[in-house]
Amino acid sequence: MRSIAYFCIFSFLWVACEKSSTNEIKVGIQPYADFSKAKTDTVAKIIHTFYSVETIILPKKSHHISTFTKVKSPRYRADKIIKLQKVELADSLDYIIGLTEKDISTSKKENGKIKEPIHKYQDWGIMGLAYCPGESCVVSTFRIQHKNKAVHFMRLKKVTVHEFGHNLGLPHCPDKKCVMTDAVESVATIDKAQLALCKKCSNQIK
């Protein structure tokens, strides 16, 4: 996963939550293309229960052509997706979470510049991306597949909770059991993490 401000891979400088309480927060759940209803409902439910916010499932839509890239392989640029979502965010919503089955990517940077070698990092495949803090994030199931449906759905929950946590201002956590740990693009790290915040992160979100 990742974030944009310092880029994160699971892919953030702590900034206090701009909202004093999540009780009145409304989060739009935006499924793209062929994202299934079962997975959409799962995300809406876990975000609602985990962060005590209202979730509203939005009508499916196609990815905007401007987000498509073929730099290394057919993908959709996560940074462009979340920027478009932010621009199009309805006044009735505070945040928006994009959900896609497609592969997504962004540029992996270090000190403001694309990491070397550029051919490797200019279009880096990721599981999710979020601003920290921010109003928009996107999650892809492309890199979290598993033949066991329960494992796949648990990965989806963890990645989504992680990315939305960044939107709320939570940085990566050094506790490897915390859902906010940096997965460094490893599904094994996701599997080992718990679907829960450590005490420190929980106190921050409050």
Side-chain angles (χ1 to χ4, degrees), residues 79-147:
D79 47 349
K80 290 185 177 181
I81 292 173
I82 62 176
K83 286 179 181 178
L84 276 175
Q85 288 179 168
K86 183 178 179 181
V87 169
E88 298 172 353
L89 185 65
D91 292 339
S92 59
L93 299 174
D94 298 293
Y95 298 91
I96 185 167
I97 301 173
L99 303 173
T100 182
E101 299 278 3
K102 306 297 184 182
D103 195 13
I104 59 175
S105 63
T106 193
S107 297
K108 188 176 181 181
K109 296 184 178 181
E110 194 170 65
N111 299 321
K113 296 182 180 180
I114 297 175
K115 288 188 66 174
E116 297 287 348
I118 292 178
H119 74 271
K120 179 179 181 180
Y121 294 117
Q122 68 177 335
D123 194 63
W124 184 257
I126 56 177
M127 294 175 272
L129 187 67
Y131 286 112
C132 180
E135 301 169 332
S136 173
C137 65
V138 62
V139 171
S140 167
T141 58
F142 188 86
R143 296 171 183 272
I144 57 173
Q145 298 297 326
H146 197 281
K147 59 183 179 181

Side-chain angles (χ1 to χ4, degrees), residues 21-83:
S21 170
T22 57
N23 291 337
E24 299 178 353
I25 289 176
K26 294 184 179 181
V27 183
I29 308 298
Q30 178 62 72
Y32 285 98
D34 54 356
F35 202 85
S36 76
K37 182 180 185 301
K39 293 179 184 179
T40 302
D41 290 343
T42 294
V43 167
K45 183 177 180 180
I46 190 61
I47 293 299
H48 167 68
T49 57
F50 197 94
Y51 289 111
S52 298
V53 298
E54 181 180 351
T55 53
I56 301 168
I57 296 176
L58 305 173
K60 281 187 180 180
K61 64 190 299 185
S62 299
H63 284 292
H64 195 279
I65 188 63
S66 66
T67 65
F68 183 72
T69 183
K70 291 180 69 175
V71 172
K72 292 168 70 174
S73 61
R75 293 172 171 169
Y76 290 85
R77 291 285 297 192
D79 47 349
K80 290 185 177 181
I81 292 173
I82 62 176
K83 286 179 181 178

